[in-house]
Amino acid sequence: QPKDLAVTADSTVFVAEINSVEAIRSNQRVFELQTKFTPSSVAAFGSVVAVGGEVGVPHSVPNGVSDETYRRI
């Protein structure tokens, strides 16, 4: 079940879900990031997307995921 969503200028929708964040563009899922925490919020500004967890601490790029992965979106 979606917890939160954010929309970027190019109409990509980021959806925070129970154990992941999905990126959807033109009704197609273009990326899914599995998380080790429960995302509770997501925000987008320009090319930056921030994900907040239920413990109230914002999370950065998790180990094992390179910046290149995010550039593909």
Side-chain angles (χ1 to χ4, degrees):
Q1 178 174 353
K3 299 271 192 177
D4 196 16
L5 63 90
V7 182
T8 61
D10 70 352
S11 298
T12 301
V13 178
F14 288 86
V15 182
E17 298 179 345
I18 292 175
N19 290 314
S20 67
V21 177
E22 289 186 335
I24 301 167
R25 186 183 308 128
S26 300
N27 293 324
Q28 298 290 321
R29 182 173 61 187
V30 294
F31 185 74
E32 181 177 12
L33 175 66
Q34 296 293 321
T35 61
K36 293 183 179 183
F37 61 95
T38 301
S40 60
S41 61
V42 63
F45 183 78
S47 63
V48 176
V49 176
V51 179
E54 290 193 352
V55 293
V57 177
H59 294 268
S60 60
V61 178
N63 291 335
V65 178
S66 68
D67 290 338
E68 182 62 34
T69 301
Y70 286 92
R71 281 188 228 126
R72 291 185 309 181
I73 295 176

